[in-house]
Amino acid sequence: MYVADSRASTSAASAEGAVRPRAGRRRAAVAPTVLALGAVSLITDVSSEMVTAVLPLYLVTGLGLSPLGFGLLDGIYNGFSALVRLIGGHLADRGGGRHKWVAGFGYALSAACKPLLLLAHTLTPIGLILAADRTGKGLRTAPRDALISLSSTPETRGRAFGVHRAMDTAGALFGPLVAFLILRATVDGYDAVFTVSFCVASVGVLVLVLFVPNGAHRARTKSGPDGARTKSGPDGARSQATGTAPQGISGDTAPRPTLRAALALLARPDLRRVTLCALLLGLATVSDSFVYLLLQRRLGVPDRWFALLPLGTAAAFLLLAVPLGRLADRVGRWRVFLAGHGALLLAYALLLTSWHGTALPYAVLLLHGCFYAATDGVLMAVASESVPEELRSSGLALVQTGQALARFVCSLGFGAAWTAWGDRTALTASTVALALCALFALTLRRPAPSAPSEGLA
């Protein structure tokens, strides 16, 4: 009876995404691989956010693009990587230890695109450069997140992703500040921003090559109470190393890392639900650039101060990423993920009100950063529990692909709606759509009482 009760309570906790460590166990430190990847992401984000901070103003004010034209480029910038994420995940899985090198090629490709922006002044070449830049992001994201997942225990996975996202966001905090200082100190400010961005991105690639290990240092093999070696499966379960292994981890049942096997992961109900929810919520998530443009128009922010708006989001993300990652490990990752979308709904609602107080931008950017802290790394921690190690990059890429494609569609739709009916009508439609999608995701994700704990973390 005691064993049955223990299993029932473990299943209930796992169903909400909480993986609680055993009593008396010391909290594991974050793996060195996570810290090294965090340093790479920090440096790279300084580079990329320098460009992201000035790009909306450069395209809309400097080049005179309409909101529809900007929506097209912004959709390319945020959604084009979806076309290559599965390829990046597949290449990393096939090589076994290629996660680092596939990610490194992606970082190098994005770095090479930065100086090309100096030569482009019309819609078509800028779109091609942004597409190439996002191809690099698509190639690197899944292998990088797979390294983080494989280097962490199930009990600390949310915390590990939180630490990485916090370091990543530190770069996002410095990037706009550097861009702001460059714009104030130089005559040809945009060209200087693109040049410095390339130099910083090159340093990030160098740090990856020198300090990130070739393979994931997996902290997954532990000793049981009788001294036998045990392994944690994808659902956090422990099994004795007596010649049998959890399905999808080792042994004859381990899936081969092929594209067909990766797509077959969607046959798993748990991963299919996660992917569908990420897709639906992405369809109603307005691009960051549009949020900042809306704030600028509401408050009449001068152009020279525009590059500082992303600092508010980045600061909130930085402060909340680790606490919300740890909270997700304790109370349930899916609860925290949906709560993050609730914060985004509040931010949209504030932008729709007639309030023009000085606290408005601080409140909107705080909620915007809270949204990212509660969703970005937490979603990958949720998906990791549903995917075997051999297909970890491919499985995470499936979820990322659905989300990125949805945000690509949202950017196009929002830009078209803004052009046709105005920014307020476009934001109202997005707010209603996000609320409906969040309610649907809440009911879709809720497991049946008798469902097994596999993949519901």
Side-chain angles (χ1 to χ4, degrees), residues 185-273:
T186 59
V187 177
D188 296 325
Y190 293 119
D191 289 351
V193 167
F194 299 150
T195 302
V196 174
S197 174
F198 166 69
C199 297
V200 175
S202 300
V203 174
V205 176
L206 185 62
V207 171
L208 175 77
V209 172
L210 295 179
F211 296 105
V212 175
N214 286 327
H217 293 276
R218 297 171 187 169
R220 304 178 67 83
T221 303
K222 310 182 181 81
S223 297
D226 56 354
R229 291 171 67 82
T230 63
K231 280 189 176 182
S232 297
D235 59 348
R238 295 163 61 87
S239 62
Q240 295 287 345
T242 58
T244 61
Q247 184 174 357
I249 300 299
S250 60
D252 295 336
T253 57
R256 296 181 60 192
T258 64
L259 281 175
R260 189 173 185 178
L263 294 174
L265 290 172
L266 289 176
R268 296 181 172 220
D270 45 1
L271 186 63
R272 188 167 62 246
R273 286 195 296 268

Side-chain angles (χ1 to χ4, degrees), residues 10-11 14-15 233-237 246-248 265 268-271 273 382 385-388 445 447 451-457:
T10 301
S11 176
S14 184
D235 59 348
Q247 184 174 357
L265 290 172
R268 296 181 172 220
D270 45 1
L271 186 63
R273 286 195 296 268
V382 171
E385 301 304 320
S386 309
V387 183
R445 182 59 183 166
S453 61
E454 179 186 359
L456 295 178

Side-chain angles (χ1 to χ4, degrees), residues 3 30 85 97 141 177 213 225 242 252 308 337 347 407 423:
V3 173
V30 175
R85 291 192 187 215
T141 301
L177 182 59
T242 58
D252 295 336
L308 294 181
F337 179 74
R407 290 183 176 179
D423 55 350

Side-chain angles (χ1 to χ4, degrees), residues 137-445:
K137 180 176 177 59
L139 288 173
R140 72 181 183 247
T141 301
R144 180 204 66 197
D145 285 347
L147 279 172
I148 297 171
S149 173
L150 293 170
S151 301
S152 309
T153 62
E155 294 86 354
T156 62
R157 194 165 285 144
R159 179 186 180 195
F161 275 104
V163 168
H164 174 267
R165 292 324 195 245
M167 296 179 71
D168 180 273
T169 308
L173 189 65
F174 288 118
L177 182 59
V178 173
F180 169 73
L181 295 175
I182 292 174
L183 288 176
R184 286 183 61 88
T186 59
V187 177
D188 296 325
Y190 293 119
D191 289 351
V193 167
F194 299 150
T195 302
V196 174
S197 174
F198 166 69
C199 297
V200 175
S202 300
V203 174
V205 176
L206 185 62
V207 171
L208 175 77
V209 172
L210 295 179
F211 296 105
V212 175
N214 286 327
H217 293 276
R218 297 171 187 169
R220 304 178 67 83
T221 303
K222 310 182 181 81
S223 297
D226 56 354
R229 291 171 67 82
T230 63
K231 280 189 176 182
S232 297
D235 59 348
R238 295 163 61 87
S239 62
Q240 295 287 345
T242 58
T244 61
Q247 184 174 357
I249 300 299
S250 60
D252 295 336
T253 57
R256 296 181 60 192
T258 64
L259 281 175
R260 189 173 185 178
L263 294 174
L265 290 172
L266 289 176
R268 296 181 172 220
D270 45 1
L271 186 63
R272 188 167 62 246
R273 286 195 296 268
V274 171
T275 305
L276 180 58
C277 289
L279 189 152
L280 288 175
L281 292 167
L283 284 172
T285 301
V286 177
S287 166
D288 298 355
S289 297
F290 277 124
V291 171
Y292 303 142
L293 285 172
L294 287 167
L295 264 179
Q296 187 204 28
R297 297 200 171 198
R298 281 284 309 275
L299 302 175
V301 177
D303 291 352
R304 65 180 181 276
W305 298 103
F306 181 84
L308 294 181
L309 290 178
L311 290 178
T313 297
F317 193 172
L318 176 64
L319 293 174
L320 296 173
V322 175
L324 289 181
R326 294 177 62 180
L327 180 67
D329 286 336
R330 293 179 56 192
V331 305
R333 292 163 188 159
W334 197 249
R335 292 175 179 173
V336 173
F337 179 74
L338 290 179
H341 285 86
L344 187 62
L345 274 173
L346 288 177
Y348 291 172
L350 287 177
L351 286 172
L352 288 171
T353 64
S354 57
W355 180 34
H356 287 77
T358 56
L360 176 63
Y362 300 101
V364 170
L365 296 176
L366 174 62
L367 291 168
H368 199 223
C370 181
F371 158 69
Y372 278 112
T375 59
D376 192 13
V378 172
L379 178 62
M380 292 298 97
V382 171
S384 295
E385 301 304 320
S386 309
V387 183
E389 289 183 4
E390 289 78 6
L391 294 172
R392 187 62 53 84
S393 288
S394 301
L396 297 184
L398 283 172
V399 180
Q400 294 166 356
T401 296
Q403 186 180 59
L405 284 174
R407 290 183 176 179
F408 174 80
V409 173
C410 183
S411 287
L412 292 179
F414 191 87
W418 185 337
T419 301
W421 304 303
D423 55 350
R424 188 175 185 84
T425 301
L427 184 60
T428 300
S430 295
T431 303
V432 173
L434 181 60
L436 293 176
C437 289
L439 288 175
F440 182 72
L442 181 62
T443 60
L444 183 66
R445 182 59 183 166

